[in-house]
Amino acid sequence: MDLNNDRGIFIVTVLRTILVKLMYSDVYDIVDQNMSDSNVGSRKRRNHRNNLYIVYAIINNVLNNPDSKPIDLQIYDIAKMFDKIKLKEAINDFWDSGIKDDNLMLLYQLNKNNKAIVKTPVGDSEEIVLEENVLQGESFGPLLASNQLDTIGKESKKDGENLYMFQGKVPISVLEMVDDTLGISECGVESIVLNSVINTKVEMKNLEFGNNDKKASKCHHIHIGKSNKYCPTLKAHETTINKVDSDTYVGDVISSDGKLTKTIAKRYSQATGATSEIMNMLREISFGYHYFKMSMIFRNLKFIN
């Protein structure tokens, strides 16, 4: 049994939940206004489609404009960010995002020391103390994570560096959805520089990239456009990033040919699986007089591939 992929959710007391929600309501607008457009995670009126719209527009422009230079998409996986995130570092980033009142210190004190019990199939565990831990499942967790990684895009836009110029006019920084990170750059030196910047920022925050094993990184490199014999080899820490034709980013399969075939196939597979699960559940329920009619309806359901 591999527990590395398990994600624990913290269930906190009712009084703490009320307090945290009141604090969150006080600080959210300030943090949101001080974040860049780079990270759309845990933010109102924004979601992963914002980033996907930008990515597809850039890919379409590169593939259909003969004057466009080839680009590299750098897709990074941050390993267990809620486990690795450093509370003091995240609190300092909140300060930089405008939270300079009592809420900042109260947030730190709430997470400085937490007593927890793990519920298992055979009963509750012994009480343990978690020191300086960001609780996954609490309101502030995703916002702390998004704000921390947003520092990459925020600094790029502030300094006017490490940006991809869409059609030579619109600056595009690193695109993030909480901890899902995608960098866009012209193939060549720009890719090496952006790769170094992302590595440096992640290491400064004491975070780590995900790895399948010691040899293969879970981060991926997709080349879009004309072939380039000088296309660089990128790294995630000391591990070489695999160059692939497609990879998943915030739910969609991004392909080097710009087509959505693999994304559609993925959606079709998910829909088929979900429908099969529903039908199996319904078979276990007796509908009495209407059972035969329901069976005929579901038996005649078909999907168009």
Side-chain angles (χ1 to χ4, degrees), residues 189-225:
V189 176
E190 289 83 355
S191 293
I192 298 174
V193 173
L194 181 60
N195 177 235
S196 299
V197 169
I198 293 175
N199 270 276
T200 301
K201 295 295 184 183
V202 168
E203 290 171 3
M204 286 175 61
K205 302 298 181 184
N206 296 305
L207 301 174
E208 297 177 2
F209 295 117
N211 289 298
N212 289 322
D213 51 51
K214 294 181 179 179
K215 296 182 179 179
S217 171
K218 290 175 69 175
C219 307
H220 292 106
H221 169 195
I222 304 175
H223 180 80
I224 308 290

Side-chain angles (χ1 to χ4, degrees), residues 96-238:
D96 293 335
S97 292
I99 306 305
K100 301 179 179 180
D101 56 13
D102 293 342
N103 283 309
L104 189 70
M105 182 55 67
L106 184 55
L107 180 60
Y108 174 73
Q109 292 297 330
L110 278 172
N111 292 281
K112 185 178 180 180
N113 289 293
N114 285 301
K115 296 180 179 180
I117 294 175
V118 180
K119 287 186 174 294
T120 72
V122 294
D124 295 345
S125 70
E126 294 182 1
E127 186 178 274
I128 58 175
V129 178
L130 302 174
E131 296 183 356
E132 298 191 351
N133 189 274
V134 175
L135 302 185
Q136 184 171 0
E138 201 169 49
S139 301
F140 272 107
L143 188 61
L144 284 167
S146 295
N147 182 66
Q148 185 167 79
L149 280 183
D150 182 63
T151 55
I152 302 174
K154 186 189 296 185
E155 291 180 13
S156 293
K157 289 193 172 183
K158 179 181 177 181
D159 300 335
E161 299 176 347
N162 309 309
L163 301 170
Y164 175 75
M165 298 303 294
F166 177 58
Q167 296 184 341
K169 299 177 182 179
V170 183
I172 305 295
S173 64
V174 170
L175 301 176
E176 297 163 316
M177 176 69 184
V178 187
D179 58 347
D180 291 326
T181 303
L182 185 147
I184 306 172
S185 59
E186 288 186 10
C187 182
V189 176
E190 289 83 355
S191 293
I192 298 174
V193 173
L194 181 60
N195 177 235
S196 299
V197 169
I198 293 175
N199 270 276
T200 301
K201 295 295 184 183
V202 168
E203 290 171 3
M204 286 175 61
K205 302 298 181 184
N206 296 305
L207 301 174
E208 297 177 2
F209 295 117
N211 289 298
N212 289 322
D213 51 51
K214 294 181 179 179
K215 296 182 179 179
S217 171
K218 290 175 69 175
C219 307
H220 292 106
H221 169 195
I222 304 175
H223 180 80
I224 308 290
K226 304 171 186 176
S227 61
N228 184 350
K229 62 180 180 180
Y230 300 111
C231 194
T233 298
L234 306 177
K235 295 288 189 77
H237 302 312
E238 298 301 322

Side-chain angles (χ1 to χ4, degrees), residues 10 25-26 34 64 84 92 99 103 119 128 196 218 273:
F10 290 90
S25 178
D26 284 343
N34 283 280
N64 294 290
K84 301 291 186 180
N92 285 336
I99 306 305
N103 283 309
K119 287 186 174 294
I128 58 175
S196 299
K218 290 175 69 175

